[in-house]
Amino acid sequence: MDKAKPFCISKREVWEAYQQVKANRGAAGVDGQSMKAFEADLKNNLYRIWNWMSSGSYMPPPVLRVDIPKAGGAGTRPLGIPTISDRIAQTVVKRYLELLVEPVFHRDSYGYRPGRSAHQALNVTRQRCWEYEWVLDLDIKNFFGSIDWELMMRAVRCHTDCAGAAVYRALAQGTRANA
């Protein structure tokens, strides 16, 4: 680890994030770079991501927007596809933040959490239908597209020891710009 870097991100963390991204077998982003092309210069590509992130100079590239059909043929919904490099950077940040924020999440929160699934949420819902006489059904339209990013970043800073959080800020700005 280079102590001259303001963010303590190990090269191993970047490597493990790359392995996770590779296992997901996602499509190329706006740069058109496939996983095969990324791996053609793997050592330099991973070093570049580590260097940008640990120095605080990481800036996410644009996200490729693809409209995918909704179930039942009721229109489409936009899907953002980050570049492979950006997915690796996001995974590094996700893995770091999960360790810090997982303990403060509500026990009944299932969305986008490690070791939790929609099937588990359905099982809990089925059990509770027998215990209670009421059901609350919510559908928040465009939830992720309407998040107050300033409030979100205050929450991130509240749960990290990283004042300024340039890496997180850059990721949020990239997500917001492409939402």
Side-chain angles (χ1 to χ4, degrees), residues 41-58:
D41 194 16
L42 182 62
K43 184 177 178 182
N44 286 328
N45 285 330
L46 293 179
Y47 178 82
R48 193 175 300 116
I49 295 167
W50 169 80
N51 192 38
W52 285 334
M53 292 186 77
S54 60
S55 69
S57 63
Y58 179 79

Side-chain angles (χ1 to χ4, degrees), residues 1-56:
M1 177 66 59
D2 185 353
K3 296 294 182 191
K5 302 286 187 181
F7 296 99
C8 295
I9 298 170
S10 73
K11 292 175 184 172
R12 181 172 186 83
E13 288 175 78
V14 175
W15 171 254
E16 289 174 359
Y18 152 72
Q19 290 179 314
Q20 259 187 278
V21 169
K22 181 179 179 174
N24 288 339
R25 301 183 324 180
V30 73
D31 62 359
Q33 185 180 44
S34 67
M35 183 58 74
K36 186 175 181 176
F38 183 86
E39 290 174 330
D41 194 16
L42 182 62
K43 184 177 178 182
N44 286 328
N45 285 330
L46 293 179
Y47 178 82
R48 193 175 300 116
I49 295 167
W50 169 80
N51 192 38
W52 285 334
M53 292 186 77
S54 60
S55 69

Side-chain angles (χ1 to χ4, degrees), residues 94 98-99 102 105 109-117 120:
K94 175 186 175 280
E98 273 179 351
L99 293 172
E102 243 336 278
F105 281 148
S109 174
Y110 289 88
Y112 304 100
R113 296 202 37 216
R116 297 195 175 223
S117 69
Q120 290 173 317

Side-chain angles (χ1 to χ4, degrees), residues 60-61 63 169-179:
V63 173
R169 192 168 51 250
L171 283 171
Q173 288 170 344
T175 304
R176 178 181 55 210
N178 298 298

